[in-house]
Each structure stands twice: as C-alpha cells, then as structure tokens.
Amino acid sequence: GLSVGTKTPALVPFFHNRDVLLIAVGWYHTIAVCAQVATGSRRPPGEVAGEKEIVGRLEVVGFGYNKHGQLGLGHSEDMKQAMKLPLLTLTTSTPPLVRKIACGGSCSFFITHDNQVLAAGCNSRGQLGLGSFKGRAKTPVVIKTLTGENIDEVVCGFDHCFAIHRGNLKMKLFAFGANAYGQLGLGMSNDVCTPKEVSLVGMENIDVIACGGNHSMLICGGRLLSCGRNDYGQCGNKEGDRFSFTSVTQSDNAQINTLLVRKVACGASHTMVVRAPNVLMGFG
C-alpha cells in the first residue's frame, strides 16, 4: 500500500479515516476489508469506530503483486496502492458482503454473509477449488462445491487450502490444491482441484489449523497432528513426508506434551507451537 518499500512500520495513506476490519496477506499481496469513518473523527488507539461514525461504503481492497489476478480486480497489474474490489463493495444500507478473508501464496478467498466462498488468483495446482487446474481467476469466482456447506473459515498454505465448517453436530474439513507432499492430509500425493472432504476419524474437534509452505498442522483437544513436507522436520517428527494427519507424539519430540498444545503457527518450512504452561517451541 506504499509507493516505495520501507524497513520500518509506516502508516498506509489509503486507510486514513478508515477502520480496518479484516486483513489477510499472501506471499506478496494483501487483502483488507475496511469501513469509512466520519472525517475528523479521532479515537484513542485501538478503539473501533461506533456504528454512527461509519459512513459511505464498506470496502474490500487489495494491493501488491497481482500477476495471477490474486487481488480480484479483474486484471493482472501490480498495485502499489490499495484498490477497491467493486464486486465485493457495498453501501452501508446492506449487510457487509464479506465476513472472512484469507490469502495463499498467489490466491485470495472471500467468505460472504450468505455463506458463499469466492476465490481469485492462481489456479495452476487447483488451489482455487474450481474443478480444474486451468489458468487463473482475475475476479472472485464462487466455489460451487462448497455452496451449502456453511464454511466458517479458509486457511491457506502457499498453494494448498482448507475450508472448515464448524457445525454444532458435525465438523467438516475440505482440502484442495497442491498435494505433492501429502499436505492436504488425504492419504495420497495427487493435486486436488475440487474440494475433497478430509476424514476426521479420531480428530473430530479441530481447535486450530495452520498451513506452512507445504505442510499442515492441526490441534485437536490439545493433541498436535501434522502432514506434508518434512525435509526440515517442520512436521515435528523424525520420519519423512506424511500423507495423512498423524499425531506428533513424545517419541517424536520429547518436549511436546500431546495433551497440552494450545497454539500453532507455520512459516514456509518451520513450525512454532505454544504448549502449557505457555511455553513456546519451534521446529523445522
């Protein structure tokens, strides 16, 4: 969102008099949902604008690298400043269209208030979930396979993705995209272009899911599970790549209490976990 790079944090001019409600980043691009606030309205740091302060439009914007159309703007030109996505911007007379966003390496996802999941960007590995491995989507396209599944969240690695439904009676986890290392947890290594449901036997209650470049991690009731590429040990075990979600046990890593893992986050080839009592660990 700046015309030149910076090595220290800097305010992004576009967001002056806008409250940022949601933000997601890919490898080289950013998607945000923001709301205009009344000109001259000043609030203490961290305080969100009240409903009466919000004016004009609730906006979905993108900026950064856009070779594959991942900004959803209808073209593939890089954007040094934030640009609005007309398709996903509404007036305040209507409930905000987008309630969740997520970004992969070169793709973006939007979950709407009527529970549609839309995708834009690169699709060379099927990571948009559109049923093919062809081309790219320069404007957001509905993932028809997920219609009616009431998806709550999308989580992305570089070019693999998970869509999660956290129902009261049954949780569902769908996977699609690159899978050469088994990072989708489907027990195979073929790329997947149509969202495929992951078997949740033994891990019905997923608390947290995180994706790295080519590996994936879950926390289920305090247990840590992993799948995917493991050349640097980023899956937390001493073996090779894992093609299905498998528990990281104390025999893999003596410092991990398998019932007390609270948080997990992934980089391209490393993983960080927080285990009780608030101890930070890393591997990869």
Side-chain angles (χ1 to χ4, degrees):
L2 300 171
S3 58
V4 295
T6 176
K7 295 182 179 180
T8 58
L11 294 175
V12 181
F14 177 86
F15 295 99
H16 177 67
N17 288 327
R18 285 176 169 88
D19 272 1
V20 178
L21 308 178
L22 301 170
I23 190 136
V25 296
W27 255 236
Y28 301 106
H29 75 288
T30 303
I31 300 291
V33 177
C34 57
Q36 292 185 18
V37 296
T39 302
S41 175
R42 296 187 179 275
R43 303 174 305 282
E47 182 179 322
V48 178
E51 291 183 5
K52 292 182 180 179
E53 292 182 272
I54 296 175
V55 297
R57 290 176 173 270
L58 293 165
E59 302 162 334
V60 183
V61 301
F63 49 97
Y65 188 60
N66 193 39
K67 179 180 179 180
H68 304 285
Q70 57 262 51
L71 299 183
L73 296 170
H75 59 73
S76 55
E77 298 177 12
D78 296 348
M79 291 288 108
K80 293 183 179 180
Q81 296 182 346
M83 295 293 293
K84 303 172 189 176
L85 282 68
L87 180 64
L88 299 176
T89 297
L90 294 179
T91 64
T92 54
S93 61
T94 309
L97 181 61
V98 175
R99 61 182 178 86
K100 291 282 184 70
I101 54 177
C103 292
S106 297
C107 56
S108 305
F109 296 87
F110 311 86
I111 304 177
T112 67
H113 275 261
D114 59 357
N115 295 318
Q116 297 279 9
V117 183
L118 295 86
C122 183
N123 193 44
S124 61
R125 306 296 295 274
Q127 61 264 51
L128 298 188
L130 300 177
S132 76
F133 297 100
K134 296 180 180 179
R136 54 190 177 179
K138 296 180 183 179
T139 57
V141 179
V142 173
I143 304 177
K144 294 181 180 179
T145 307
L146 296 178
T147 298
E149 295 293 350
N150 295 323
I151 298 301
D152 297 297
E153 182 181 7
V154 173
V155 178
C156 306
F158 179 74
D159 49 14
H160 74 287
C161 308
F162 293 94
I164 309 160
H165 164 65
R166 301 182 185 276
N168 293 327
L169 299 177
K170 183 181 179 181
M171 176 175 284
K172 290 185 178 182
L173 180 66
F174 298 90
F176 48 100
N179 194 39
Y181 303 97
Q183 59 262 50
L184 297 182
L186 296 170
M188 61 180 190
S189 59
N190 298 327
D191 291 354
V192 176
C193 62
T194 300
K196 185 177 179 63
E197 190 169 354
V198 180
S199 173
L200 296 182
V201 175
M203 51 179 185
E204 288 82 0
N205 297 312
I206 299 174
D207 302 309
V208 180
I209 182 167
C211 295
N214 295 294
H215 71 292
S216 307
M217 309 293 295
L218 298 177
I219 299 176
C220 299
R223 292 188 302 131
L224 184 66
L225 300 97
S226 65
C227 67
R229 189 170 184 172
N230 193 43
D231 52 341
Y232 293 102
Q234 59 264 50
C235 283
N237 66 80
K238 303 172 184 177
E239 303 170 0
D241 302 340
R242 291 182 167 186
F243 295 89
S244 298
F245 281 106
T246 308
S247 292
V248 179
T249 66
Q250 286 183 300
S251 62
D252 293 318
N253 192 319
Q255 297 299 313
I256 293 181
N257 185 321
T258 57
L259 297 179
L260 294 175
V261 178
R262 294 177 173 175
K263 297 180 181 180
V264 61
C266 301
S269 299
H270 76 289
T271 303
M272 304 297 292
V273 300
V274 176
R275 66 166 176 82
N278 297 321
V279 176
L280 180 65
M281 300 176 56
F283 41 91

